[in-house]
Amino acid sequence: MTSQNLETNAKNTWCPGCGNFAILNSIKAVLKSIREEGTSLENVVLVSGIGCHAKIVDYINANSFYSIHGRATPAAEGIKLANPNLKVIGFAGDGDAYGEGLEHLIFAAKRNIDITMIIHDNRVYGLTTGQYTPTSPLGFKGRSTPGGSKERPINPLELMLASGATFLARGFSHGIEQLKKIFKEAINHKGFALVDVLQVCVTFYNMYEYYDKRVYELKDHDAGDYAEALNKIKEWNYHDDSKIALGVLYKKESPTFEEGLSSSGKSEIDVDSNIKSILAKTI
């Protein structure tokens, strides 16, 4: 696989203009750079959930795993714990991760397990044609809320910061070069990293013009300062018309969950022998 082309023969079924293309092209560029720096793609595993975003693993020729809805995070955690030498990159939609899978995301952040989660946050259920999600703004009109949503959105980055995440960033699907930079830094971070990508669904919630008028790139921001990070994260609440900061919002070095297991001797378990023993008893 070291000489592989990352392209696949799978037909791309995303809508023209879908923000997923920016994420796909960015992560491909990052995987190529990782390989050029000496990390074999044999040691990279991609995990996706359920939704339009999930097809991304069909379009990248690398080890991958489809999980069920809301379960991309625990699947990524399990893969990492089974083989801590792997780089595990999870992809999930906003409904997938911040709705049904929210508790898994909170516990992954709390544990500081060394995985990267990239959230395709188009703020709508695109695959099922336009229902509101946890990050849809108050008053969002869609298939399930024709009169407008009565719920205020969550701020997922504020929630992740409170849960103990050690790397938090926000990107935008109109900024591929910045996405590449953020993805690379998130993947190289030791600990739980989450990148919330404002990924526009052109068919059911086209927000390109709205975001283009409000996003700005962070400069002179101290990502290691918790209070400063919280202030920037709360600057926009996913509902009002404030400016929207893009870039690495928070970054902190802290022991990972795997390191805690290793110090307790759990890593000495012979996983292969245990699996063979179980199979011998059941087959």
Side-chain angles (χ1 to χ4, degrees), residues 27 38 72 80 94 123 138 202 258:
I27 198 66
K80 182 67 180 181
D94 46 312
R123 308 172 70 197
L138 180 68
V202 293
E258 309 88 274

Side-chain angles (χ1 to χ4, degrees), residues 102-260:
L102 182 60
E103 76 278 19
H104 297 298
L105 210 56
I106 289 172
F107 273 80
K110 171 176 169 286
R111 293 167 180 146
N112 194 33
I113 189 164
D114 186 17
I115 62 174
T116 300
M117 292 300 299
I118 296 173
I119 311 302
H120 301 228
D121 190 358
N122 56 21
R123 308 172 70 197
V124 69
Y125 282 97
L127 187 67
T128 51
T129 69
Q131 296 80 18
Y132 79 102
T133 76
T135 54
S136 300
L138 180 68
F140 174 85
K141 292 183 179 181
R143 289 293 182 92
S144 58
T145 53
S149 168
K150 306 301 181 186
E151 301 177 15
R152 298 184 67 83
I154 65 168
N155 182 334
L157 294 176
E158 184 179 1
L159 184 58
M160 287 296 97
L161 183 67
S163 300
T166 53
F167 184 100
L168 293 169
R170 182 189 290 126
F172 175 36
S173 56
H174 240 185
I176 289 183
E177 291 307 314
Q178 187 183 49
L179 280 183
K180 291 178 188 176
K181 183 180 176 182
I182 292 174
F183 288 170
K184 183 76 173 288
E185 191 169 346
I187 292 167
N188 285 333
H189 174 71
K190 191 178 75 170
F192 180 78
L194 183 138
V195 183
D196 185 65
V197 182
L198 300 176
Q199 173 261 313
V200 174
C201 174
V202 293
T203 302
F204 295 106
Y205 197 38
N206 191 339
M207 297 286 283
Y208 276 122
E209 184 177 353
Y210 177 91
Y211 290 143
D212 282 337
K213 291 179 179 176
R214 291 166 177 79
V215 297
Y216 72 97
E217 186 172 354
L218 283 168
K219 293 181 179 178
D220 301 322
H221 171 67
D222 183 1
D225 186 316
Y226 185 95
E228 187 172 332
L230 178 60
N231 185 48
K232 279 296 173 187
I233 285 172
K234 294 177 70 173
E235 190 174 62
W236 179 57
N237 61 10
Y238 290 72
H239 171 67
D240 63 24
D241 294 331
S242 302
K243 294 189 299 181
I244 303 172
L246 302 178
V248 178
L249 292 149
Y250 183 64
K251 186 175 182 180
K252 173 188 176 184
E253 298 297 326
S254 185
T256 67
F257 188 69
E258 309 88 274
E259 290 173 334

Side-chain angles (χ1 to χ4, degrees), residues 5-25:
N5 186 325
L6 286 170
E7 304 298 324
T8 72
N9 293 323
K11 180 181 179 182
N12 195 305
T13 59
W14 288 332
C15 301
C18 175
N20 283 330
F21 286 104
I23 297 176
L24 174 63
N25 292 328

Side-chain angles (χ1 to χ4, degrees), residues 34-112:
I34 288 174
R35 182 176 57 190
E36 290 168 358
E37 291 168 2
T39 297
S40 169
L41 292 189
E42 290 279 6
N43 293 322
V44 175
V45 181
L46 310 179
V47 181
S48 70
I50 297 296
C52 289
H53 81 275
K55 300 173 186 175
I56 194 168
V57 299
D58 291 338
Y59 308 141
I60 303 174
N61 187 19
N63 300 309
S64 60
F65 183 90
Y66 260 114
S67 70
I68 59 176
H69 198 244
R71 305 299 187 268
T73 305
E77 287 185 278
I79 292 168
K80 182 67 180 181
L81 291 177
N83 186 348
N85 295 320
L86 298 175
K87 282 188 179 295
V88 184
I89 307 167
F91 300 89
D94 46 312
D96 199 21
Y98 302 148
E100 189 169 357
L102 182 60
E103 76 278 19
H104 297 298
L105 210 56
I106 289 172
F107 273 80
K110 171 176 169 286
R111 293 167 180 146
N112 194 33

Side-chain angles (χ1 to χ4, degrees), residues 265-282:
K266 297 296 184 182
S267 63
E268 297 175 2
I269 295 173
D270 188 339
V271 175
D272 289 341
S273 294
N274 284 350
I275 291 175
K276 290 177 182 177
S277 175
I278 292 170
L279 292 176
K281 293 177 182 177
T282 56

